[in-house]
Structure formats: structure tokens, C-alpha cells
Amino acid sequence: MLVIEEKYKPIAEILLSSGTCLRCVLRFCCVGSPATYRLPHKELAEELGKFLAIDGDISPPSKKVRLEDGEGGMGEAQIPGDADDNSAAEAPQICNLCLGILQQHCSTEFVKKIFHKVQSAGYEFQDFVFPVSLPAQLLVREHSAWLQAQQEMRKQNRQFEKADIIQLKEAYKWIIHPMISEELGVQAVSKSLFEVGVVFCHHDTDEDCHFLATVCKDCFKPTKNKQSIYTRMAVVKALDKIKDDDFCNHFPWPPSSPQIACQVIDIQCNHGSVFVAGRYNKYSRTLPQTPWVIDGERKMESSVEELITEQLMAVFKADSFNFSSSGREDVDVRTLGRGRPFAIELVNPHKVQLSVQDMKDLQQKINNSDKIKVRDLQIVSREALAHMKEGEEEKTKCYSAIIWTERPIGKKDLEFLNDLKELKLIQKTPLRVLHRRPLASRSRIIHTMKTEYVDEHHFRLYLKTQAGTYIKEFAHGDFGRTVPNIGSIMKTTADILELDVESVDVDWPPALED
Ligand code: ZN
């Protein structure tokens, strides 16, 4: 049983007589029950016929029916048919408000088309979201119908706001979500990471919007990346501004009935990013963290990033990735200990569900390289990534270095270094990074140092420092740009021959059992 409030009768009549489809009539009569929109066309036509007290059986499509003479003297009106009724030879009249969206694009054929598209795209998903892009002129047509409806309601001394109308997108979802859901075998969920997006266009009526640009010039500014200035946003803004009279002069009621329905220009599948985190060790002094390319020429054959992501990309079947880490080491610096936390965003992955064992296998594959090792490899949430960067500046880092001194040294010359605690440095931006970082002075702390004598020109230095300390510069002084430095403290010229990161004190990602 169809429930429409009596007060909306004039709206239904005026829309039906102008070439609006039954479902759009429901929308403008503020029918908020999704089930009503899913009724087969024939049933809906009968119910609406009863409501409007139209004599006889109304059967679609495009059958001329006699409407009772209302206030406006309606005369003959057409009840446009839906595509559901393929049995009829006569093509259904395309709705002048939804341009066929609630007619042809709710059909089982269309849903099958979506299903095949999803299937051939080869995604793994547990639910879906169905974003729909509609042509902007639908807004103009909707506005036109709303003004008519509003006029009718005013005759009854009633308000009728645009927000009272059931949105086309809403009604469309009510009809099509259950159908897609059944085909795909999963639920529609508004926050789903798996998107099946449909883009509609209707070239025949594209010009509907154009008069708005002459009336509301400043709403339509050319924007980058947009093919047309008539974006939905601009049209909404213009419709909000334009005076009713101006609108009706430029866009008289009723809107034209199109010959063909909206066309689907694209059905696109996309899966939200998956994030994988872990910690890596780097054992090579000729391996940069990220690809090292200068003027299009590779300087090193591989990188930590590539060694890890090659395997991930293959398993997750993603389109692209973004690599990030808790700090970075120079190409000639090894990262030892428990390694450096990293995270990789896999963009548009086709595979998203990996078992604990799958992840272990993946980790093993990466670890077949002798240059790096990863541990604690796991899928994490986007939000959890923040932990990796959290307090990056306040954390401590531990290093070990081989230091060379010009002046011959004995074991006794090193002892005082072991006693220096919380040594404050001022470091000007190092010469070697000046080309990519602004010149600045900053202070850093060397918390503790420990030494191991090697020979009269070499010793090993263990350092615990504030994160972000330039260790190489602390060793050689960077032409006096870091003060104090090992050279100045030991009253000689010093240099650093080897550097290893011993630990990065970030407790993320969580350690996993081996
Ligand atoms: Zn319609």
C-alpha cells in the first residue's frame, strides 16, 4: 500500500503531466520508505493511479492516461514507464528529472554489468560502497521542479523546502544497493574501503547549466583539472543565489523530455590503501634507503625501499606505494640492532587479506636478500602510522663509529670521553645537506659516549644521542660548523670512517613472535 500524504497530490499531478517518472514523483512527494521505490513499475503505477484517482488500469510504458481535472485542468498526462518492463515494445519515456537514472540504471541488466566489471577487476573485498557521479544539469532540473512544487504547496499555505525532497542519489541507493549486494554477495557499507564508482553523463542536456554562468558569473571560475566549469559545486552555489524569477525566465517549466537516458561513462573499482609496517636492518654500505637518482641517472643499483616493496607489490597487487620510515641513514651507514621502523602504503591493492603465515612467508622472501632483513612485518591501520613519527625529535638513538685521529693516541687519551655526559652541541646545517635543507643552527645533546681503543690512530666510539644529531659532523666538525666536536675536544683533527645505527628507540610497530 502506497503512503503519500494527501497534500502532495498537486505535486504528483503536475510532475506526472510534465514527463517525470514515477520514482521521481515519489521523491517530490517526500515518500521516505525505501521499499516503495523498489516496487515493480506496474504495481507502482497502479498505486499512484489509485492515489490520484485516475480511472482504469494504468499500465506502462508511456500509456496515455486520463487525469481527473484538477485545479490546473490537467488533461492528459503520460505515466512514463520503467526499463524493468522490457516486455513492452514501446520505449519508455525518459524522465525529465532523473534523465533515466531511476528507470534504466536500476535494471537487472545494469547491475549485471556492474557485477562483471567488478569480477574482471579481480579485487578481494568484504563489502562495498557505491559512489555515484551525476551530471550537474540534474540539479537545474531538480530546482525547476522544486519551484513548481513549492508554488503548489503555497496555494495550500504550506512550506516546501528543497531539503524535504528525497535526494535522487538517496532513492537510487535504496533501489540499487540491495540489487548489487545480492550479485556481489556482500553488503553495502558507507565506510567500505572497496569502491565501485559509476560516472553518468548526458550530453544532450549539458547546456541546461549554461545560463547560470551568465546570471551568476562569479560562481563559475575555470579550475585546474576540471574539464568543465559547470561542476556540481558551482551549480549548487549558483542555484542558491539566483532569484526565482530569473531562473524561471531562463529555464521555463517543464524541463524537456530527453530522447535517451544518461550514459554510463565509467564503472571504476578502487580499494583503499593497505598499510604494512615493520623494522629493517641494513647490512650494506653501498645501499641507499630510497632510490638514488641524480639527473635521471641511478647512482646505486638498488635501495632498501625497493628490496622491501618489490615483494609487497607482487603479493598485494597494488598500483603504487609510499614508503616512510622513522628517520633515515646515509648510504654508507648500516642499521643494526632491532632495526629501523618503516611503513609502506600500498595504493589500490587488489589483495588485502593475508594470514599471519602469509605475512611470515612474505617476510622470508624479503629476507632472501643479504643486504637487508626485516622483522615484525604486519598490516597496520592508517592511524597507527602516527606512532612512527611520534616524538621523533625527542627520542634517543644509539650509534657506533670508527674514529680516526691525526694525533697518535693511547688508551688514556680516550678515558675522559667516557665521563662526558649530556654534552650540548650547536650544529649548523651540514655542508653536505645544505643543497636540500635551509641553513639553520640547532642544538642537540650527546647523552653518553663509550670508547674502545683500536690502535694509535683509531678508536671505536659508541654514542647515545638525541634523535636528529648529525653524527658525522660531530666527529669531524664540518669545518667548525658543529661545536664542540671530537676533533676540538681531543685537540686534533678527527674523522669518521664507519658509522652504524645501533638502535632506533621507537616502540612501533609491536614486536611479533618469530
Ligand atoms: Zn525520474
Side-chain angles (χ1 to χ4, degrees):
M1 178 59 199
L2 182 60
V3 185
I4 303 184
E5 288 181 62
E6 193 63 25
K7 63 182 178 186
Y8 294 126
K9 210 169 183 171
I11 296 181
E13 282 168 349
I14 199 172
L15 291 181
L16 276 174
S17 66
S18 78
T20 299
C21 78
L22 304 187
R23 283 164 172 164
C24 282
V25 170
L26 294 180
R27 295 198 296 115
F28 275 79
C29 291
C30 310
V31 175
S33 92
T36 312
Y37 290 83
R38 296 179 200 135
L39 286 175
H41 181 270
K42 197 173 175 213
E43 221 171 296
L44 192 52
E46 277 169 17
E47 294 285 344
L48 264 175
K50 270 188 241 164
F51 170 66
L52 296 171
I54 297 170
D55 283 340
D57 177 35
I58 308 172
S59 47
S62 301
K63 187 173 174 185
K64 300 257 179 191
V65 293
R66 186 123 206 114
L67 287 175
E68 259 193 348
D69 275 351
E71 299 159 354
M74 304 294 295
E76 280 203 323
Q78 279 191 327
I79 300 272
D82 274 17
D84 308 344
D85 307 276
N86 293 327
S87 52
E90 197 180 343
Q93 185 183 340
I94 306 297
C95 171
N96 61 352
L97 294 191
C98 68
L99 303 176
I101 302 265
L102 296 185
Q103 301 171 302
Q104 301 196 358
H105 297 299
C106 300
S107 66
T108 43
E109 286 72 29
F110 182 58
V111 172
K112 283 255 189 298
K113 205 167 148 187
I114 293 174
F115 172 71
H116 290 308
K117 182 82 191 194
V118 171
Q119 217 179 22
S120 66
Y123 283 88
E124 202 174 63
F125 54 91
Q126 292 109 23
D127 41 40
F128 72 97
V129 60
F130 185 67
V132 174
S133 162
L134 299 173
Q137 59 267 36
L138 287 174
L139 295 165
V140 175
R141 289 169 171 258
E142 195 95 349
H143 190 80
S144 173
W146 170 61
L147 290 178
Q148 290 304 310
Q150 198 178 41
Q151 245 176 46
E152 290 304 321
M153 295 307 271
R154 277 187 187 146
K155 289 179 192 164
Q156 305 177 37
N157 286 322
R158 293 179 198 272
Q159 296 279 329
F160 190 66
E161 302 300 329
K162 227 177 195 175
D164 297 334
I165 306 164
I166 303 294
Q167 295 280 308
L168 173 56
K169 269 190 188 178
E170 192 71 9
Y172 186 47
K173 272 186 197 167
W174 287 343
I175 303 165
I176 204 158
H177 274 186
M179 296 171 79
I180 301 176
S181 221
E182 195 175 313
E183 281 291 335
L184 295 182
V186 294
Q187 291 296 305
V189 171
S190 61
K191 282 193 175 150
S192 174
L193 288 176
F194 181 56
E195 265 186 23
V196 183
V198 176
V199 180
F200 290 107
C201 72
H202 195 264
H203 294 307
D204 292 356
T205 57
D206 273 346
E207 289 183 3
D208 284 359
C209 301
H210 292 191
F211 76 92
L212 287 171
T214 58
V215 186
C216 309
K217 273 198 188 76
D218 46 331
C219 293
F220 298 92
K221 300 253 165 69
T223 47
K224 270 188 207 163
N225 311 324
K226 295 272 181 205
Q227 289 179 343
S228 160
I229 55 167
Y230 300 101
T231 61
R232 285 182 71 86
M233 219 146 72
V235 170
V236 167
K237 227 164 110 186
L239 289 175
D240 204 42
K241 271 190 170 177
I242 193 169
K243 291 197 183 75
D244 292 354
D245 287 348
D246 279 346
F247 181 88
C248 294
N249 285 338
H250 286 94
F251 197 82
W253 175 261
S256 60
S257 291
Q259 295 299 309
I260 55 163
C262 277
Q263 284 174 309
V264 178
I265 45 173
D266 204 5
I267 302 175
Q268 248 182 8
C269 300
N270 184 68
H271 200 293
S273 295
V274 165
F275 298 86
V276 172
R279 305 173 77 94
Y280 73 81
N281 290 125
K282 174 164 101 72
Y283 300 119
S284 165
R285 294 198 191 279
T286 56
L287 186 70
Q289 191 200 43
T290 51
W292 191 0
V293 179
I294 297 173
D295 297 331
E297 199 187 318
R298 281 199 82 113
K299 294 293 169 192
M300 295 277 172
E301 73 180 49
S302 189
S303 64
V304 173
E305 178 189 286
E306 284 160 288
L307 290 173
I308 298 174
T309 52
E310 251 167 42
Q311 305 293 342
L312 291 184
M313 291 289 284
V315 169
F316 285 88
K317 299 186 174 69
D319 284 357
S320 60
F321 65 84
N322 293 305
F323 180 93
S324 58
S325 62
S326 178
R328 58 190 302 151
E329 65 281 307
D330 290 342
V331 57
D332 56 350
V333 174
R334 299 187 301 175
T335 294
L336 308 175
R338 289 191 42 76
R340 184 187 297 281
F342 68 91
I344 293 159
E345 174 183 12
L346 294 148
V347 179
N348 195 18
H350 287 57
K351 184 165 176 62
V352 291
Q353 284 179 303
L354 272 81
S355 67
V356 173
Q357 189 55 47
D358 290 340
M359 289 305 283
K360 275 188 181 164
D361 293 347
L362 180 52
Q363 180 170 302
Q364 191 47 53
K365 261 190 201 157
I366 297 168
N367 289 348
N368 286 338
S369 156
D370 55 359
K371 291 179 177 153
I372 62 159
K373 285 265 174 299
V374 299
R375 76 184 72 209
D376 304 333
L377 195 71
Q378 56 197 284
I379 295 178
V380 297
S381 69
R382 181 190 289 270
E383 292 72 38
L385 251 57
H387 297 305
M388 196 171 68
K389 300 281 178 187
E390 228 164 59
E392 216 175 34
E393 291 287 287
E394 296 89 64
K395 300 274 177 175
T396 60
K397 290 195 176 174
C398 295
Y399 300 88
S400 97
I402 299 284
I403 306 289
W404 168 88
T405 58
E406 191 177 46
R407 174 169 67 85
I409 50 166
K411 284 184 185 171
K412 282 220 149 64
D413 295 313
L414 300 175
E415 278 167 6
F416 79 105
L417 287 176
N418 298 333
D419 299 329
L420 283 178
K421 305 277 183 248
E422 305 302 321
L423 178 66
K424 195 174 162 190
L425 315 179
I426 301 294
Q427 297 197 296
K428 276 190 194 153
T429 305
L431 288 174
R432 65 187 166 94
V433 300
L434 254 185
H435 64 284
R436 56 185 162 92
R437 296 213 180 139
L439 175 60
S441 263
R442 58 185 197 180
S443 85
R444 284 293 183 273
I445 308 275
I446 307 283
H447 296 300
T448 58
M449 285 185 277
K450 214 176 92 201
T451 54
E452 251 174 44
Y453 181 79
V454 177
D455 61 36
E456 61 178 13
H457 286 288
H458 299 93
F459 68 98
R460 184 172 281 280
L461 178 64
Y462 295 97
L463 303 128
K464 187 173 178 183
T465 74
Q466 184 182 358
T469 307
Y470 294 112
I471 306 301
K472 288 177 178 171
E473 282 66 22
F474 172 59
H476 59 58
D478 201 22
F479 303 98
R481 300 164 66 84
T482 286
V483 281
N485 54 64
I486 292 290
S488 71
I489 297 168
M490 296 182 69
K491 300 195 169 53
T492 177
T493 300
D495 203 355
I496 183 164
L497 303 185
E498 275 182 16
L499 180 62
D500 293 327
V501 178
E502 294 286 348
S503 80
V504 181
D505 300 331
V506 174
D507 296 328
W508 189 88
L512 299 180
E513 282 174 45
D514 281 338

